[in-house]
């Protein structure tokens, strides 16, 4: 059986220090009022690139699970770890809670720990894991063609950097396919 490409989606969120930068999108908040002089203007506060990525991911999850509550499986990976399993009972709350524990990106000294290549490697490992639906078919002796997508939210300096990331993913998938003893998953 061939599952659609959209059955499995993995988001890789780059957690490097670059995403601590402001995206210049202001955060709306109530202004302070004093007793006699009226309104005291407060300095503007802007969102970080990390915050915008997390908000975009949250909205994507909400829309997908509103439309396809059971058919789509989504995992989220930061540059260091997978945040949820396949077939998570409450993916949105699980991911948002785990992202709160991950926290915002920190300084450049942590960038090696949070390399997007680590996240892509983790995403490829996740892609190899069967969902419950795939596992059920495998246990019944059916052949399962494992497919999925990886969506990486990162920054690239140029097309060469993008090509490097794409080559890394393709080579890693080919390597995993060669060492796999089963032609199914």
């Amino acid at each position: 059986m061939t599952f659609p490409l959209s059955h499995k989606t993995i988001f890789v969120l780059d957690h490097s220090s670059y995403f601590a930068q402001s995206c210049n999108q202001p955060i709306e908040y109530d202004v302070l009022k004093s007793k006699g002089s009226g309104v005291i203007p407060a300095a503007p506060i802007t969102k970080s690139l990390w915050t915008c990525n997390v908000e975009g991911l949250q909205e994507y999850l909400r829309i997908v699970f509103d439309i396809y509550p059971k058919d789509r499986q989504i995992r989220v990976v930061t540059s260091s770890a997978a945040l949820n399993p396949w077939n998570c009972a409450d993916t949105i709350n699980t991911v948002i809670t785990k992202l709160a524990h991950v926290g915002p990106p920190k300084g450049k000294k942590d960038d090696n720990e949070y390399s997007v290549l680590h996240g892509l490697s983790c995403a490829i490992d996740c892609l190899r894991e069967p969902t419950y639906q795939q596992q059920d078919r495998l246990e019944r002796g059916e052949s399962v063609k494992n497919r999925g997508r990886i969506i990486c939210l990162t920054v690239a300096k140029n097309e060469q950097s993008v090509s490097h990331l794409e080559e890394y993913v393709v080579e890693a998938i080919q390597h995993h396919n060669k060492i796999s003893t089963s032609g199914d998953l």
Side-chain angles (χ1 to χ4, degrees), residues 135-146:
Q135 188 64 40
D136 183 51
R137 298 259 165 85
L138 288 169
E139 288 172 0
R140 289 186 283 173
E142 296 179 30
S143 176
V144 174
K145 187 157 182 116
N146 190 25

Side-chain angles (χ1 to χ4, degrees), residues 3 7-8 73 86-87 129-136:
F3 284 87
H7 176 66
K8 293 166 91 171
Q73 299 300 315
W86 293 122
N87 299 85
E129 296 173 16
T131 63
Y132 291 153
Q133 296 91 328
Q134 291 174 321
Q135 188 64 40
D136 183 51

Side-chain angles (χ1 to χ4, degrees), residues 28-44:
E28 294 184 25
Y29 58 94
D30 294 332
V31 293
L32 302 173
K33 295 182 179 186
S34 66
K35 293 180 183 177
S37 62
V39 175
I40 300 173

Side-chain angles (χ1 to χ4, degrees), residues 19-29 43-57 59:
F19 288 88
Q21 294 183 56
S22 171
C23 69
N24 296 322
Q25 182 179 4
I27 296 174
E28 294 184 25
Y29 58 94
I45 300 172
T46 59
K47 296 178 184 179
S48 69
L49 293 168
W50 174 256
T51 299
C52 288
N53 276 349
V54 169
E55 287 177 350
L57 171 67
E59 191 64 14

